């Protein structure tokens, strides 16, 4: 091979390398690699009424009935007061009473762990950590994944579906929390949904219960983590064994 041909081949190879380095990369997924979202619809639906007279829809997924709306029972968070670590009575700050009332009706109330237990409707329960796992697996999450802590793959997009799918309609109410126990502040309204379980984490340094956390930023992931039972006000979905 003469020197001219060698030079031409080297030049072509250099151009190819430059194109690889500076061109946008396009990934094409084949059929076997595409994520398949299962179709899950409730096997039964109905309505229930809490102890305060509020009516809710419920859906049956697997062997459990789940409220399809977050609980609104109990004293609204914006009418409550709490004691700081210094024993000073403090009230929740609300910018607009009308906005707060609308949020209560659409996204539900916020509860501490013990408030969630106290406001449980007759015949229903605050879901255990295993109840949550049962729901997640009914929505397609593997048992191995369901048993993990942290962000786990599967189920989140089905949790938020309306009547066109599961009907569970989980929302993103954020949380009211204090990281210094001095004042309680709103966090992540519209960006995350937090939901209590009744199961206490035996390994936590302070009394903590397992919760579930979802976000539209990770539409197919559900976080399983524990959080302190005090100074955290988050959403509640009650469940019961299917009848």
């Amino acid at each position: 091979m003469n020197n001219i041909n060698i030079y031409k081949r080297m030049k072509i190879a250099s151009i190819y390398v430059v194109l690889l380095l500076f061109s946008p990369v396009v990934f094409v997924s084949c059929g076997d690699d595409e994520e398949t979202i299962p179709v899950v619809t409730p096997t039964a639906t109905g309505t229930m009424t809490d102890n305060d007279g509020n009516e809710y829809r419920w859906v049956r997924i697997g062997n459990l009935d789940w409220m399809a709306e977050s609980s609104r029972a109990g004293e609204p968070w914006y009418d409550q007061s709490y004691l700081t670590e210094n024993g000073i009575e403090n009230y929740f700050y609300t910018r607009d009473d009308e906005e707060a009332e609308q949020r209560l009706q659409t996204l539900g109330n916020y509860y501490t762990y013990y408030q969630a237990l106290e406001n449980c409707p007759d015949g229903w329960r605050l879901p255990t950590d295993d109840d949550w796992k049962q729901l997640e697996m009914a929505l397609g999450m593997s048992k191995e994944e369901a048993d993990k802590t942290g962000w786990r793959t599967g189920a989140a997009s089905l949790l938020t579906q309306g009547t066109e799918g599961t009907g569970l309609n989980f929302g993103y109410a954020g949380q009211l929390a204090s990281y210094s126990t001095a004042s309680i502040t709103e966090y992540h309204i519209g960006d995350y949904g937090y939901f209590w379980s009744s199961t206490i984490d035996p390994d936590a340094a302070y009394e903590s219960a397992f919760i579930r956390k979802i976000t539209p930023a990770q539409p197919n992931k559900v976080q399983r983590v524990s959080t302190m039972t005090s100074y955290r006000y988050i959403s509640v979905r009650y469940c019961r064994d299917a009848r």
Side-chain angles (χ1 to χ4, degrees):
M1 183 181 297
N2 59 41
N3 291 336
I4 294 176
N5 287 336
I6 293 173
Y7 172 76
K8 286 181 178 178
R9 291 192 177 188
M10 290 176 63
K11 186 175 181 180
I12 292 170
S14 298
I15 293 171
Y16 181 69
V17 170
V18 169
L19 288 172
L20 283 176
L21 289 174
F22 295 101
S23 298
V25 179
V26 178
F27 294 95
V28 179
S29 63
C30 299
D32 292 340
D33 296 329
E34 292 177 352
E35 180 186 349
T36 301
I37 298 176
V39 176
V40 178
T41 55
T43 56
T45 62
T47 60
M48 54 83 68
T49 303
D50 68 22
N51 300 335
D52 290 350
N54 299 301
E55 187 174 85
Y56 307 86
R57 295 176 296 104
W58 61 262
V59 295
R60 181 167 299 163
I61 304 292
N63 295 320
L64 295 175
D65 295 338
W66 287 82
M67 287 173 56
E69 306 168 61
S70 292
S71 175
R72 302 186 295 275
E75 186 179 15
W77 83 91
Y78 49 81
D79 286 339
Q80 297 181 40
S81 65
Y82 58 93
L83 295 178
T84 68
E85 61 181 356
N86 298 320
I88 299 172
E89 186 177 25
N90 206 349
Y91 291 85
F92 292 103
Y93 172 71
T94 53
R95 294 180 294 274
D96 185 321
D97 288 342
E98 185 176 343
E99 183 273 335
E101 170 63 24
Q102 183 179 16
R103 194 196 307 172
L104 174 68
Q105 296 304 318
T106 57
L107 293 175
N109 207 353
Y110 298 88
Y111 302 93
T112 65
Y113 173 78
Y114 287 103
Q115 287 176 335
L117 292 172
E118 291 166 5
N119 286 284
C120 187
D122 294 337
W124 294 73
R125 65 175 177 266
L126 186 62
T128 65
D129 189 44
D130 284 339
D131 288 333
W132 277 105
K133 290 180 184 180
Q134 186 174 330
L135 175 61
E136 290 162 342
M137 289 187 288
L139 299 180
M141 186 181 288
S142 69
K143 186 180 188 309
E144 179 184 10
E145 197 76 358
D147 287 337
K148 294 179 181 177
T149 56
W151 288 102
R152 301 152 310 141
T153 301
S157 60
L158 275 71
L159 287 173
T160 61
Q161 286 180 346
T163 54
E164 77 286 353
T166 62
L168 287 162
N169 199 36
F170 278 78
Y172 307 106
Q175 66 172 324
L176 313 178
S178 171
Y179 294 99
S180 65
T181 67
S183 62
I184 294 175
T185 307
E186 296 180 351
Y187 292 95
H188 308 306
I189 310 298
D191 295 326
Y192 289 92
Y194 302 80
F195 301 89
W196 284 116
S197 87
S198 63
T199 303
I200 296 294
D201 182 355
D203 300 320
Y206 301 94
E207 185 183 68
S208 301
F210 284 104
I211 66 169
R212 293 304 188 273
K213 180 178 174 182
I214 59 174
T215 174
Q218 299 196 67
N220 199 39
K221 289 185 180 292
V222 182
Q223 188 179 45
R224 174 178 177 253
V225 67
S226 63
T227 190
M228 290 176 61
T229 57
S230 58
Y231 295 104
R232 295 290 185 277
Y233 294 73
I234 66 177
S235 302
V236 166
R237 293 292 185 96
Y238 295 110
C239 73
R240 68 181 180 187
D241 294 327
R243 298 178 176 178

